[in-house]
Amino acid sequence: MATTIRTDTPVLETTSGRIRGFAADGIHTFLGIPYGAPTGGAARFRPPRPAEPWTGVRPAIVYGAACPQAPREAGAPSERHFVEEAFLLGFNHSRYDEDCLRLNVWTPSPDVAKRPVMVWLHGGHFASGSGHDIAAFDGTSLARRGDVVVVTLNHRLNVLGHLELGWARADLAGSGNAGMLDLVLALAWVRDNIGAFGGDPDNVTIFGQSGGGAKVTTLMAMPAARGLFHRAIVQSNCALRQTGMADAERIARALFAELGIADEDPDRLAEVPYAALSRAELAVMARLAPQQNPARRNRRIRWEPVVDGRILPHHAFDPVAPQISAHVPLLVGTTLNEFTTGIGQPDIDGTSLTAVRQSLAAAYGSDADAILAHFRARHPAASPFDLLSRIYSATIREWAVIQASRHAALGGAPSWLYWFTWATPVLDGRPRAYHNAELPFVFHNADRCASATGGGADALALADRVADAWIAFARHGDPNHAGLPAWAPFADDRVTTMVFDTTCEALDNPDGPERAAAGPA
């Protein structure tokens, strides 16, 4: 049936002015709503300010600009990898501008129903991406399926969001967390405005994947965010630790040197065109973190929130979970294959055991042979490449288990653990259950994102089960629903994990020995 779009929809009043969106497929959509003022020029590296008021009715019918960032192609291992990843994820081209503090809302109806609100934080770590650059992020189907209000948003990233300058001048302290303060401002906008869209400001779930998961984790430890959300979902990036002040200052000083700016003249950074700023920050990061150990992905220098003792008082989940979020139910998990996949590698199934040994030796040193032997014994039918993928991905899952355990230890609210193991059939099945694989399922977009899922009956059925779990969690703080087997909350003596696959199972510690062998990421 053809989609009918209506633009004669209700005008809504927000704290900055009136807006009008459009309606399609039974869902009201509002795109590109400013929640903050422009962040360029003298506002660079400064805390965000609320959106400037406007007169008249503002059309909210197209996405706003994303934060300036390096091209996606620049970070891809190869052109083929970029092409295949773009096919899987359905990359959308974004406009880039420092006037990027925009958000999008999907709602079944702008009424007074007080629906659960689900605020999505996009991936790209803290350097790239946007709330609309991947096809799965369209909130129409999730809003309809769950009778919920879905919000996605853009905020400051990379050098614009996480360059700490407090060491250069006291009034610039906190600039290393500017991007996180943007998120706090967006959540405050939700608190103050979402009621007009049919949402309940007292039932807000923040959820995010990859870098978005790290953003959720960080918000849980930020005093300024306390009370602005009530449930949290972390997908494929726990980020128990953030950047320390020493590393943050080292990055900033290197950037000053790269640009030829004196340490005592930080205001000059506001005058540097973003293109030059980006070239400099990419050069600096390449020097400071030139290599990446696939077994230790979370131990590297990159743009991240900064533990400054004030905005972020301490590492979010290390050595313990943040007490200020003890009352917030947590859902956390990873995919089976994460970053070690066949995307962009057509000959991956021909990987030899010798090549696997060499890779593991570089990552694990003298422990490599014992780790490989352990995984071969547990998965005797697995190919050499799949053994390698399981080993490297187990280190990432271990962080999810640690996060669930530390949160549960506070005793304030339960943790729930999942593992997404469904392997896509597209591209000859080479991607496996790759990093990002769960996104079309979480947003109930398995049909819309057939280039990622294949669009088959198994994928559509799994999307029902996954999306309903996220919806149930947003509504009640418990992901159980009639379409899944009983799912117990996390406990250290059981490590109950919901395995999302063609057949969903709740298993107790299904990979405990493997995680113990591979170690944390």
Side-chain angles (χ1 to χ4, degrees):
M1 186 172 63
T3 297
T4 300
I5 292 181
R6 291 178 40 234
T7 56
D8 58 338
T9 51
V11 172
L12 300 189
E13 190 77 41
T14 74
T15 47
S16 294
R18 293 178 294 163
I19 61 171
R20 170 177 271 158
F22 64 92
D25 298 327
I27 297 297
H28 292 257
T29 301
F30 303 84
L31 305 177
I33 306 169
Y35 70 87
T39 59
R44 256 192 198 172
F45 314 117
R46 300 285 184 173
R49 297 166 291 121
E52 298 165 354
W54 58 82
T55 59
V57 178
R58 184 186 186 104
I61 55 178
V62 297
Y63 292 115
C67 178
Q69 56 197 262
R72 285 185 179 276
E73 297 92 323
S78 68
E79 181 180 1
R80 180 160 188 153
H81 185 284
F82 170 74
V83 168
E84 291 190 355
E85 187 176 50
F87 175 76
L88 287 166
L89 300 183
F91 287 157
N92 301 314
H93 294 290
S94 294
R95 294 183 293 115
Y96 299 114
D97 195 279
E98 291 186 66
D99 183 7
C100 65
L101 304 189
R102 305 297 179 92
L103 55 75
N104 316 298
V105 181
W106 290 264
T107 179
S109 179
D111 53 26
V112 293
K114 288 199 170 184
R115 299 171 178 85
V117 182
M118 301 180 70
V119 179
W120 175 252
L121 307 181
H122 68 79
H125 202 60
F126 294 87
S128 62
S130 78
H132 60 266
D133 65 340
I134 291 177
F137 295 170
D138 184 282
T140 303
S141 184
L142 182 60
R144 184 192 305 109
R145 176 83 181 180
D147 191 31
V148 297
V149 177
V150 178
V151 178
T152 70
L153 58 93
N154 299 340
H155 61 100
R156 279 176 288 181
L157 303 163
N158 52 68
V159 64
L160 298 175
H162 298 288
L163 179 67
E164 178 54 52
L165 298 171
W167 59 272
R169 206 171 65 215
D171 67 307
L172 292 171
S175 61
N177 289 309
M180 293 305 304
L181 292 176
D182 294 346
L183 296 181
V184 172
L185 182 63
L187 290 171
W189 186 97
V190 168
R191 177 197 61 201
D192 297 338
N193 292 280
I194 208 66
F197 297 80
D200 183 356
D202 295 320
N203 185 3
V204 175
T205 296
I206 54 173
F207 67 131
Q209 182 266 351
S210 191
K215 293 164 194 174
V216 170
T217 297
T218 306
L219 283 168
M220 293 180 76
M222 290 179 62
R226 185 174 189 177
L228 295 177
F229 61 91
H230 312 91
R231 328 213 189 281
I233 304 176
V234 176
Q235 302 170 212
S236 289
N237 192 345
C238 306
L240 308 185
R241 296 177 62 83
Q242 290 68 44
T243 295
M245 284 293 284
D247 279 340
E249 181 175 340
R250 182 154 69 103
I251 294 168
R253 286 185 181 275
L255 184 70
F256 275 51
E258 184 73 21
L259 291 167
I261 294 176
D263 291 353
E264 62 272 15
D265 196 13
D267 286 339
R268 279 191 57 198
L269 285 173
E271 304 166 5
V272 177
Y274 178 76
L277 196 60
S278 180
R279 285 193 298 271
E281 61 107 346
L282 291 174
V284 164
M285 287 304 190
R287 285 201 305 273
L288 295 181
Q291 294 182 329
Q292 177 178 300
N293 184 333
R296 300 289 182 261
R297 291 187 60 88
N298 285 323
R299 303 178 189 177
R300 52 187 168 143
I301 290 179
R302 49 187 176 171
W303 293 117
E304 289 183 330
V306 178
V307 180
D308 62 4
R310 182 173 60 90
I311 296 171
L312 184 59
H314 47 72
H315 290 291
F317 269 77
D318 191 61
V320 295
Q323 186 65 47
I324 62 171
S325 293
H327 61 291
V328 176
L330 173 68
L331 172 61
V332 57
T334 62
T335 67
L336 176 62
N337 302 102
E338 288 294 351
F339 298 96
T340 310
T341 74
I343 298 173
Q345 302 182 75
D347 57 350
I348 201 70
D349 289 320
T351 301
S352 69
L353 200 58
T354 298
V356 168
R357 284 194 174 100
Q358 291 172 343
S359 179
L360 292 175
Y364 287 103
S366 60
D367 294 329
D369 286 344
I371 292 171
L372 179 57
H374 179 89
F375 277 76
R376 289 185 74 185
R378 287 184 61 84
H379 303 282
S383 71
F385 175 75
D386 281 319
L387 289 171
L388 184 71
S389 179
R390 279 183 172 271
I391 292 169
Y392 287 155
S393 301
T395 66
I396 299 171
R397 180 164 143 77
E398 174 67 4
W399 278 58
V401 175
I402 291 171
Q403 184 172 32
S405 175
R406 289 178 179 173
H407 182 67
L410 297 178
S415 302
W416 308 83
L417 191 62
Y418 77 87
W419 200 13
F420 187 90
T421 63
W422 185 86
T424 178
V426 306
L427 297 176
D428 302 318
R430 285 185 287 108
R432 275 66 170 179
Y434 59 97
H435 188 72
N436 296 304
E438 83 279 19
L439 295 179
F441 300 85
V442 166
F443 279 86
H444 203 252
N445 279 331
D447 53 349
R448 176 187 179 91
C449 300
S451 63
T453 69
D458 285 350
L460 299 183
L462 182 57
D464 289 348
R465 292 190 283 272
V466 172
D468 285 352
W470 266 238
I471 291 162
F473 185 80
R475 191 173 297 278
H476 306 297
D478 182 333
N480 280 283
H481 62 83
L484 289 176
W487 182 358
F490 182 90
D492 283 321
D493 59 344
R494 295 182 63 183
V495 192
T496 302
T497 303
M498 180 57 68
V499 178
F500 286 109
D501 211 320
T502 302
T503 298
C504 296
E505 301 178 273
L507 303 177
D508 286 348
N509 207 15
D511 61 338
E514 297 171 39
R515 291 184 287 101

